[in-house]
Amino acid sequence: MLESVGEIPDATLLLAWKTRIERVRIQLGWPTGHVLWREHASGASLALSAPVDQLFTATEVNEWAWLASIAAARRETFHAPGHAAAWDDDSALHTLRAFSAAEHNPKLEVLLQTATARQLTALLDEDELSIGLGTGSMRWLLSDLPAVESIDWSGLRDIPLALITGSNGKTTTVRLLAAMARAHGRKVGYSSTDGLVIGTENIEAGDYSGPAGARAVLRHRDVELAILETARGGILRRGLGVSRAQVAVVTNISVDHFGEYGIHDLDALAEVKLVVAHTLGSSGLLVLNADDELLVRRAEKLHCAIAWFALDDNHPILLGHRERGGVTCGMRDGNLFLSNHGAAHDLGKVADMPLTFSGSATYNIANISAAVLSASALGASVATIIEVLANFGAAHSDNPGRLQHWQLGSLQVFLDYAHNAEGLRGLLDVATRQRGSSRLLLVLGQAGNREDKEIRELAQVAASFHPDHIVLKDIDGMLRGRAAGEVATILRDELVRAGLSSDAIVECLDEFTAARSALAAARAHEVLVLPIHGGNARNNTVVLLDQLLASGWQPGTDLPAA
């Protein structure tokens, strides 16, 4: 797929592109297949199907066909050394045939067909093929694939697999579900925005919420059950990475990342997230949020089994679903209930579950409910689920970077990953319940790949909580094409427009230094909120906060040297 052509194409240009694709497909000896485009507000996404051992050649074909169509229509010349010539069809075909011949791998197609016939998952990347998952997997270099008859197929098998997606709450849901699966006796592997974990060992830090992270977990020979955070970007760039799962979760749909890969509205974003439903067979379960009207509306067109959760166990969607024998999870009279095949299981008082911060973190009640439904579908007992809910979140190590809390003297500090308007609203709602009449201090920033409108909406949410002091930052490694301080300028302008005094706003672009600056400005009985996103900045901030707590530091006194 050519992710976006970067301009609004006309029908003539698109037809020329499609004609070139179809002609070259014949000349390369490929079977007929799909040639598709999707127009959107900022251009178009162009895609074609190709033989499985020709996927990289297909990307070259796609780009060449588009550039050649532009060159012919506008008499423009494009020169990209090492790629097919956009100005010369004969030369381009020579190059594309060379790419195709180099990539041709007859053994690959036979192995994939055999894996499919045996209902085994196969994972393919630039270098390797693996068949089976986790403890039942084997892997080979593409340059050294075995003959199909030489493989001991009896030793290959898949393992239970859950996919977790949505706009907010993915990582928390992944971690909680992993804790439940471990308590159930499984060796769990999971991938997330924060890295790769096998068992209880963090084997790699960084954002692994795409197919590369999925493959790393699913190919690990120790993994008996896999949980994969599945982000929008990975789906749009590379697909899901897997074709089958037992459970899929969509936590919610809210404004985030508009403008990337042709996604400009909530309906399109929901369509992307709900791709996970296509991995569920007749025995799979899709877990959805009944408090999200868009998901409720979209669910009407789905054909898989659904489990619903909501904050209110008496939500009409949940009531109707239970009447039809469906599975639900929600809160009633302060307790959380799992209803499964006519039986209602009391999971305990929500306010006593550490992850809910005494019941004030309603978004985590939703995340808990999603994890409960998933764990139950994967075989965890009610007793195991209750035990995990009573303890998970009590230690900072349970859910690092998500709703972590420090009490430094009378100063309360909250650290979280809140990365969009909805996430920030939830975080500030929890923090300001502790505020009383004291001052609220906030560090605020946003990744550069958000549209200006999203950045302004983040500022509007911040302003609605009337912070007394804001430190504006950049996010480490996430400028994404913007100049340093550009996002901070947009935030400042919108905060002032919303009524905040410019004197209350300072700029400190380095993320960790911004956290230190906010701590230095804090005084007794105040509330400080730190949405920290960069991995190094967050780790350094946590180390500093732990150091301050251990030393008995009091707000208003000097911080230790950086």
Side-chain angles (χ1 to χ4, degrees), residues 325-408:
V327 183
T328 69
C329 188
M331 185 170 60
R332 184 181 351 128
D333 299 325
N335 283 30
L336 193 68
F337 285 87
L338 167 66
S339 296
N340 196 339
H341 305 301
H345 304 281
D346 187 344
L347 304 181
K349 190 176 181 180
V350 168
D352 291 340
M353 300 174 185
L355 203 57
T356 73
F357 207 77
S358 301
S360 64
T362 55
Y363 57 89
N364 268 348
I365 300 172
N367 296 332
I368 286 170
S369 298
V372 164
L373 291 168
S374 303
S376 178
L378 292 170
S381 68
V382 170
T384 295
I385 291 171
I386 291 173
E387 179 185 359
V388 173
L389 292 181
N391 295 284
F392 187 87
H396 281 167
S397 58
D398 288 340
N399 197 24
R402 271 71 178 175
L403 196 58
Q404 292 180 276
H405 176 254
W406 285 260
Q407 183 87 36
L408 302 177

Side-chain angles (χ1 to χ4, degrees), residues 257-485:
H257 290 284
F258 282 1
E260 288 193 312
Y261 309 108
I263 303 303
H264 294 272
D265 56 52
L266 286 175
D267 277 311
L269 185 59
E271 187 174 354
V272 173
K273 302 286 188 182
L274 284 167
V275 165
V276 296
H278 298 299
T279 66
L280 303 171
S282 58
S283 60
L285 185 70
L286 179 63
V287 178
L288 294 180
N289 185 350
D291 289 324
D292 191 305
E293 294 181 4
L294 184 53
L295 288 177
V296 171
R297 188 169 71 250
R298 284 273 179 170
E300 297 174 358
K301 298 180 180 180
L302 300 175
H303 302 290
C304 55
I306 296 176
W308 289 101
F309 66 91
L311 290 181
D312 183 1
D313 197 45
N314 291 318
H315 189 292
I317 295 291
L318 272 63
L319 289 173
H321 197 57
R322 287 197 293 269
E323 288 177 0
R324 296 186 294 273
V327 183
T328 69
C329 188
M331 185 170 60
R332 184 181 351 128
D333 299 325
N335 283 30
L336 193 68
F337 285 87
L338 167 66
S339 296
N340 196 339
H341 305 301
H345 304 281
D346 187 344
L347 304 181
K349 190 176 181 180
V350 168
D352 291 340
M353 300 174 185
L355 203 57
T356 73
F357 207 77
S358 301
S360 64
T362 55
Y363 57 89
N364 268 348
I365 300 172
N367 296 332
I368 286 170
S369 298
V372 164
L373 291 168
S374 303
S376 178
L378 292 170
S381 68
V382 170
T384 295
I385 291 171
I386 291 173
E387 179 185 359
V388 173
L389 292 181
N391 295 284
F392 187 87
H396 281 167
S397 58
D398 288 340
N399 197 24
R402 271 71 178 175
L403 196 58
Q404 292 180 276
H405 176 254
W406 285 260
Q407 183 87 36
L408 302 177
S410 58
L411 171 67
Q412 299 198 61
V413 181
F414 292 85
L415 185 145
D416 194 87
Y417 189 74
H419 65 287
N420 55 33
E422 193 62 30
L424 183 64
R425 182 180 289 106
L427 172 61
L428 290 175
D429 184 61
V430 173
T432 53
R433 289 172 188 249
Q434 322 301 316
R435 179 182 184 181
S437 59
S438 61
R439 292 202 317 160
L440 172 66
L441 297 85
L442 173 65
V443 169
L444 189 65
Q446 181 58 286
N449 60 342
R450 269 49 167 201
E451 292 181 331
D452 287 5
K453 181 181 177 182
E454 282 184 71
I455 297 171
R456 290 194 296 270
E457 287 174 350
L458 190 75
Q460 290 163 11
V461 168
S464 70
F465 285 84
H466 309 292
D468 300 280
H469 182 78
I470 293 185
V471 182
L472 299 177
K473 62 165 186 173
D474 279 340
I475 299 179
D476 298 345
M478 296 186 188
L479 290 177
R480 309 284 172 85
R482 290 188 186 263

